[in-house]
PDB file of all heavy atoms in Angstrom:
ATOM      1  N   GLU D  10     121.652 124.693 112.759  1.00  0.00           N
ATOM      2  CA  GLU D  10     122.676 125.614 112.472  1.00  0.00           C
ATOM      3  C   GLU D  10     122.593 125.969 111.009  1.00  0.00           C
ATOM      4  O   GLU D  10     122.791 125.158 110.130  1.00  0.00           O
ATOM      5  CB  GLU D  10     124.099 124.998 112.811  1.00  0.00           C
ATOM      6  CG  GLU D  10     124.362 124.814 114.270  1.00  0.00           C
ATOM      7  CD  GLU D  10     124.690 126.034 114.968  1.00  0.00           C
ATOM      8  OE1 GLU D  10     124.931 127.090 114.346  1.00  0.00           O
ATOM      9  OE2 GLU D  10     124.721 126.045 116.214  1.00  0.00           O
ATOM     10  N   ILE D  11     122.342 127.138 110.692  1.00  0.00           N
ATOM     11  CA  ILE D  11     122.137 127.647 109.303  1.00  0.00           C
ATOM     12  C   ILE D  11     123.275 128.660 108.939  1.00  0.00           C
ATOM     13  O   ILE D  11     123.526 129.635 109.644  1.00  0.00           O
ATOM     14  CB  ILE D  11     120.754 128.354 109.087  1.00  0.00           C
ATOM     15  CG1 ILE D  11     119.612 127.479 109.536  1.00  0.00           C
ATOM     16  CG2 ILE D  11     120.641 128.827 107.573  1.00  0.00           C
ATOM     17  CD1 ILE D  11     119.482 126.181 108.816  1.00  0.00           C
ATOM     18  N   ALA D  12     124.050 128.280 107.939  1.00  0.00           N
ATOM     19  CA  ALA D  12     125.199 129.174 107.536  1.00  0.00           C
ATOM     20  C   ALA D  12     124.640 130.420 106.849  1.00  0.00           C
ATOM     21  O   ALA D  12     123.532 130.501 106.312  1.00  0.00           O
ATOM     22  CB  ALA D  12     126.106 128.378 106.575  1.00  0.00           C
ATOM     23  N   ASP D  13     125.556 131.377 106.857  1.00  0.00           N
ATOM     24  CA  ASP D  13     125.270 132.605 106.152  1.00  0.00           C
ATOM     25  C   ASP D  13     125.039 132.370 104.645  1.00  0.00           C
ATOM     26  O   ASP D  13     125.707 131.487 104.038  1.00  0.00           O
ATOM     27  CB  ASP D  13     126.459 133.569 106.286  1.00  0.00           C
ATOM     28  CG  ASP D  13     126.303 134.817 105.471  1.00  0.00           C
ATOM     29  OD1 ASP D  13     125.354 135.564 105.666  1.00  0.00           O
ATOM     30  OD2 ASP D  13     127.290 135.162 104.649  1.00  0.00           O
ATOM     31  N   HIS D  14     124.056 132.997 104.016  1.00  0.00           N
ATOM     32  CA  HIS D  14     123.716 132.963 102.602  1.00  0.00           C
ATOM     33  C   HIS D  14     123.141 131.590 102.208  1.00  0.00           C
ATOM     34  O   HIS D  14     123.240 131.247 101.015  1.00  0.00           O
ATOM     35  CB  HIS D  14     124.926 133.305 101.746  1.00  0.00           C
ATOM     36  CG  HIS D  14     124.541 133.625 100.372  1.00  0.00           C
ATOM     37  ND1 HIS D  14     123.469 134.339  99.927  1.00  0.00           N
ATOM     38  CD2 HIS D  14     125.183 133.230  99.163  1.00  0.00           C
ATOM     39  CE1 HIS D  14     123.409 134.440  98.625  1.00  0.00           C
ATOM     40  NE2 HIS D  14     124.451 133.768  98.189  1.00  0.00           N
ATOM     41  N   GLU D  15     122.635 130.762 103.100  1.00  0.00           N
ATOM     42  CA  GLU D  15     121.862 129.616 102.776  1.00  0.00           C
ATOM     43  C   GLU D  15     120.481 129.972 102.208  1.00  0.00           C
ATOM     44  O   GLU D  15     119.964 131.052 102.643  1.00  0.00           O
ATOM     45  CB  GLU D  15     121.711 128.635 103.941  1.00  0.00           C
ATOM     46  CG  GLU D  15     122.949 127.961 104.425  1.00  0.00           C
ATOM     47  CD  GLU D  15     123.202 126.606 103.608  1.00  0.00           C
ATOM     48  OE1 GLU D  15     122.554 126.473 102.626  1.00  0.00           O
ATOM     49  OE2 GLU D  15     123.914 125.824 104.170  1.00  0.00           O
ATOM     50  N   PHE D  16     119.912 129.247 101.346  1.00  0.00           N
ATOM     51  CA  PHE D  16     118.530 129.333 100.966  1.00  0.00           C
ATOM     52  C   PHE D  16     117.814 128.111 101.473  1.00  0.00           C
ATOM     53  O   PHE D  16     117.926 126.990 100.959  1.00  0.00           O
ATOM     54  CB  PHE D  16     118.407 129.376  99.416  1.00  0.00           C
ATOM     55  CG  PHE D  16     117.082 129.875  98.935  1.00  0.00           C
ATOM     56  CD1 PHE D  16     116.990 130.802  97.937  1.00  0.00           C
ATOM     57  CD2 PHE D  16     115.873 129.312  99.353  1.00  0.00           C
ATOM     58  CE1 PHE D  16     115.808 131.291  97.430  1.00  0.00           C
ATOM     59  CE2 PHE D  16     114.655 129.798  98.900  1.00  0.00           C
ATOM     60  CZ  PHE D  16     114.619 130.751  97.889  1.00  0.00           C
ATOM     61  N   VAL D  17     117.094 128.223 102.622  1.00  0.00           N
ATOM     62  CA  VAL D  17     116.527 127.178 103.301  1.00  0.00           C
ATOM     63  C   VAL D  17     115.032 127.016 103.001  1.00  0.00           C
ATOM     64  O   VAL D  17     114.280 128.044 103.173  1.00  0.00           O
ATOM     65  CB  VAL D  17     116.659 127.307 104.838  1.00  0.00           C
ATOM     66  CG1 VAL D  17     116.052 126.135 105.596  1.00  0.00           C
ATOM     67  CG2 VAL D  17     118.110 127.493 105.207  1.00  0.00           C
ATOM     68  N   THR D  18     114.617 125.928 102.372  1.00  0.00           N
ATOM     69  CA  THR D  18     113.267 125.674 102.091  1.00  0.00           C
ATOM     70  C   THR D  18     112.658 124.781 103.118  1.00  0.00           C
ATOM     71  O   THR D  18     113.317 123.829 103.621  1.00  0.00           O
ATOM     72  CB  THR D  18     113.024 125.118 100.664  1.00  0.00           C
ATOM     73  OG1 THR D  18     113.821 124.032 100.448  1.00  0.00           O
ATOM     74  CG2 THR D  18     113.321 126.133  99.639  1.00  0.00           C
ATOM     75  N   ILE D  19     111.362 125.006 103.459  1.00  0.00           N
ATOM     76  CA  ILE D  19     110.726 124.327 104.559  1.00  0.00           C
ATOM     77  C   ILE D  19     109.363 123.721 104.070  1.00  0.00           C
ATOM     78  O   ILE D  19     108.537 124.453 103.615  1.00  0.00           O
ATOM     79  CB  ILE D  19     110.546 125.276 105.792  1.00  0.00           C
ATOM     80  CG1 ILE D  19     111.816 125.875 106.215  1.00  0.00           C
ATOM     81  CG2 ILE D  19     109.849 124.528 106.894  1.00  0.00           C
ATOM     82  CD1 ILE D  19     111.607 126.952 107.246  1.00  0.00           C
ATOM     83  N   VAL D  20     109.209 122.446 104.261  1.00  0.00           N
ATOM     84  CA  VAL D  20     107.990 121.783 103.919  1.00  0.00           C
ATOM     85  C   VAL D  20     107.450 121.002 105.103  1.00  0.00           C
ATOM     86  O   VAL D  20     108.131 120.743 106.077  1.00  0.00           O
ATOM     87  CB  VAL D  20     108.216 120.859 102.672  1.00  0.00           C
ATOM     88  CG1 VAL D  20     108.662 121.595 101.507  1.00  0.00           C
ATOM     89  CG2 VAL D  20     109.189 119.698 103.049  1.00  0.00           C
ATOM     90  N   GLY D  21     106.228 120.579 104.997  1.00  0.00           N
ATOM     91  CA  GLY D  21     105.592 119.786 106.098  1.00  0.00           C
ATOM     92  C   GLY D  21     104.059 119.936 105.951  1.00  0.00           C
ATOM     93  O   GLY D  21     103.549 120.732 105.250  1.00  0.00           O
ATOM     94  N   ALA D  22     103.409 119.012 106.693  1.00  0.00           N
ATOM     95  CA  ALA D  22     101.964 119.034 106.719  1.00  0.00           C
ATOM     96  C   ALA D  22     101.400 120.319 107.234  1.00  0.00           C
ATOM     97  O   ALA D  22     101.959 121.016 108.064  1.00  0.00           O
ATOM     98  CB  ALA D  22     101.471 117.863 107.570  1.00  0.00           C
ATOM     99  N   SER D  23     100.179 120.596 106.844  1.00  0.00           N
ATOM    100  CA  SER D  23      99.525 121.832 107.372  1.00  0.00           C
ATOM    101  C   SER D  23      99.366 121.714 108.875  1.00  0.00           C
ATOM    102  O   SER D  23      98.998 120.687 109.446  1.00  0.00           O
ATOM    103  CB  SER D  23      98.171 121.948 106.686  1.00  0.00           C
ATOM    104  OG  SER D  23      97.465 123.082 107.181  1.00  0.00           O
ATOM    105  N   GLY D  24      99.671 122.807 109.556  1.00  0.00           N
ATOM    106  CA  GLY D  24      99.537 122.922 111.028  1.00  0.00           C
ATOM    107  C   GLY D  24     100.714 122.393 111.818  1.00  0.00           C
ATOM    108  O   GLY D  24     100.577 122.198 113.025  1.00  0.00           O
ATOM    109  N   CYS D  25     101.823 122.083 111.129  1.00  0.00           N
ATOM    110  CA  CYS D  25     102.946 121.493 111.845  1.00  0.00           C
ATOM    111  C   CYS D  25     103.976 122.551 112.269  1.00  0.00           C
ATOM    112  O   CYS D  25     105.086 122.173 112.706  1.00  0.00           O
ATOM    113  CB  CYS D  25     103.650 120.470 110.997  1.00  0.00           C
ATOM    114  SG  CYS D  25     104.515 121.135 109.551  1.00  0.00           S
ATOM    115  N   GLY D  26     103.621 123.800 112.278  1.00  0.00           N
ATOM    116  CA  GLY D  26     104.448 124.867 112.900  1.00  0.00           C
ATOM    117  C   GLY D  26     105.344 125.621 111.998  1.00  0.00           C
ATOM    118  O   GLY D  26     106.227 126.325 112.436  1.00  0.00           O
ATOM    119  N   LYS D  27     105.278 125.421 110.675  1.00  0.00           N
ATOM    120  CA  LYS D  27     106.138 126.071 109.739  1.00  0.00           C
ATOM    121  C   LYS D  27     106.060 127.566 109.816  1.00  0.00           C
ATOM    122  O   LYS D  27     107.096 128.257 109.919  1.00  0.00           O
ATOM    123  CB  LYS D  27     105.901 125.602 108.236  1.00  0.00           C
ATOM    124  CG  LYS D  27     105.991 124.076 108.087  1.00  0.00           C
ATOM    125  CD  LYS D  27     105.867 123.721 106.601  1.00  0.00           C
ATOM    126  CE  LYS D  27     104.536 124.183 106.025  1.00  0.00           C
ATOM    127  NZ  LYS D  27     103.334 123.490 106.617  1.00  0.00           N
ATOM    128  N   THR D  28     104.865 128.046 109.789  1.00  0.00           N
ATOM    129  CA  THR D  28     104.695 129.578 109.776  1.00  0.00           C
ATOM    130  C   THR D  28     104.976 130.037 111.197  1.00  0.00           C
ATOM    131  O   THR D  28     105.533 131.174 111.269  1.00  0.00           O
ATOM    132  CB  THR D  28     103.240 129.909 109.429  1.00  0.00           C
ATOM    133  OG1 THR D  28     103.021 129.567 108.018  1.00  0.00           O
ATOM    134  CG2 THR D  28     102.993 131.365 109.598  1.00  0.00           C
ATOM    135  N   THR D  29     104.665 129.317 112.223  1.00  0.00           N
ATOM    136  CA  THR D  29     105.093 129.694 113.589  1.00  0.00           C
ATOM    137  C   THR D  29     106.617 129.862 113.669  1.00  0.00           C
ATOM    138  O   THR D  29     107.133 130.809 114.372  1.00  0.00           O
ATOM    139  CB  THR D  29     104.535 128.704 114.617  1.00  0.00           C
ATOM    140  OG1 THR D  29     103.138 128.655 114.541  1.00  0.00           O
ATOM    141  CG2 THR D  29     104.975 128.996 116.025  1.00  0.00           C
ATOM    142  N   PHE D  30     107.343 128.976 113.033  1.00  0.00           N
ATOM    143  CA  PHE D  30     108.798 129.009 113.044  1.00  0.00           C
ATOM    144  C   PHE D  30     109.258 130.277 112.373  1.00  0.00           C
ATOM    145  O   PHE D  30     110.170 131.033 112.900  1.00  0.00           O
ATOM    146  CB  PHE D  30     109.402 127.735 112.328  1.00  0.00           C
ATOM    147  CG  PHE D  30     110.867 127.724 112.327  1.00  0.00           C
ATOM    148  CD1 PHE D  30     111.581 127.656 113.437  1.00  0.00           C
ATOM    149  CD2 PHE D  30     111.553 127.786 111.073  1.00  0.00           C
ATOM    150  CE1 PHE D  30     113.044 127.598 113.389  1.00  0.00           C
ATOM    151  CE2 PHE D  30     112.915 127.796 111.018  1.00  0.00           C
ATOM    152  CZ  PHE D  30     113.650 127.732 112.204  1.00  0.00           C
ATOM    153  N   LEU D  31     108.663 130.654 111.203  1.00  0.00           N
ATOM    154  CA  LEU D  31     108.974 131.882 110.536  1.00  0.00           C
ATOM    155  C   LEU D  31     108.707 133.075 111.447  1.00  0.00           C
ATOM    156  O   LEU D  31     109.524 134.099 111.480  1.00  0.00           O
ATOM    157  CB  LEU D  31     108.283 132.091 109.176  1.00  0.00           C
ATOM    158  CG  LEU D  31     108.719 131.174 108.028  1.00  0.00           C
ATOM    159  CD1 LEU D  31     108.139 131.810 106.687  1.00  0.00           C
ATOM    160  CD2 LEU D  31     110.245 131.201 107.893  1.00  0.00           C
ATOM    161  N   LYS D  32     107.544 133.077 112.122  1.00  0.00           N
ATOM    162  CA  LYS D  32     107.237 134.196 112.991  1.00  0.00           C
ATOM    163  C   LYS D  32     108.208 134.421 114.069  1.00  0.00           C
ATOM    164  O   LYS D  32     108.480 135.501 114.527  1.00  0.00           O
ATOM    165  CB  LYS D  32     105.778 133.975 113.525  1.00  0.00           C
ATOM    166  CG  LYS D  32     104.681 134.252 112.467  1.00  0.00           C
ATOM    167  CD  LYS D  32     103.338 134.060 113.042  1.00  0.00           C
ATOM    168  CE  LYS D  32     102.252 134.291 112.047  1.00  0.00           C
ATOM    169  NZ  LYS D  32     100.854 134.119 112.523  1.00  0.00           N
ATOM    170  N   MET D  33     108.748 133.280 114.577  1.00  0.00           N
ATOM    171  CA  MET D  33     109.760 133.398 115.675  1.00  0.00           C
ATOM    172  C   MET D  33     111.088 133.981 115.113  1.00  0.00           C
ATOM    173  O   MET D  33     111.777 134.796 115.686  1.00  0.00           O
ATOM    174  CB  MET D  33     110.045 132.030 116.268  1.00  0.00           C
ATOM    175  CG  MET D  33     108.875 131.615 117.239  1.00  0.00           C
ATOM    176  SD  MET D  33     109.321 130.135 118.297  1.00  0.00           S
ATOM    177  CE  MET D  33     109.489 128.883 117.112  1.00  0.00           C
ATOM    178  N   LEU D  34     111.412 133.587 113.851  1.00  0.00           N
ATOM    179  CA  LEU D  34     112.610 134.164 113.257  1.00  0.00           C
ATOM    180  C   LEU D  34     112.376 135.691 112.984  1.00  0.00           C
ATOM    181  O   LEU D  34     113.377 136.468 113.094  1.00  0.00           O
ATOM    182  CB  LEU D  34     112.845 133.455 111.873  1.00  0.00           C
ATOM    183  CG  LEU D  34     113.451 132.104 112.008  1.00  0.00           C
ATOM    184  CD1 LEU D  34     113.406 131.431 110.515  1.00  0.00           C
ATOM    185  CD2 LEU D  34     114.839 131.980 112.587  1.00  0.00           C
ATOM    186  N   LEU D  35     111.107 136.029 112.699  1.00  0.00           N
ATOM    187  CA  LEU D  35     110.902 137.489 112.463  1.00  0.00           C
ATOM    188  C   LEU D  35     110.829 138.287 113.765  1.00  0.00           C
ATOM    189  O   LEU D  35     111.124 139.456 113.717  1.00  0.00           O
ATOM    190  CB  LEU D  35     109.534 137.615 111.720  1.00  0.00           C
ATOM    191  CG  LEU D  35     109.106 139.000 111.321  1.00  0.00           C
ATOM    192  CD1 LEU D  35     110.057 139.609 110.325  1.00  0.00           C
ATOM    193  CD2 LEU D  35     107.690 138.951 110.618  1.00  0.00           C
ATOM    194  N   GLY D  36     110.471 137.627 114.808  1.00  0.00           N
ATOM    195  CA  GLY D  36     110.333 138.349 116.090  1.00  0.00           C
ATOM    196  C   GLY D  36     108.902 138.662 116.533  1.00  0.00           C
ATOM    197  O   GLY D  36     108.596 139.170 117.549  1.00  0.00           O
TER     198      GLY D  36
END
């Protein structure tokens, strides 16, 4: 649950789905 106007930073090992998660947010 992310509130309006949050600045969410995302870290994790390479290949753990971070970019995939962004692509889902983008559509």
Side-chain angles (χ1 to χ4, degrees):
E10 290 283 350
I11 306 297
D13 176 53
H14 195 43
E15 289 271 20
F16 194 131
V17 181
T18 52
I19 303 171
V20 298
S23 179
C25 71
K27 303 184 301 296
T28 295
T29 298
F30 180 64
L31 282 195
K32 288 180 177 179
M33 287 194 293
L34 289 171
L35 184 61

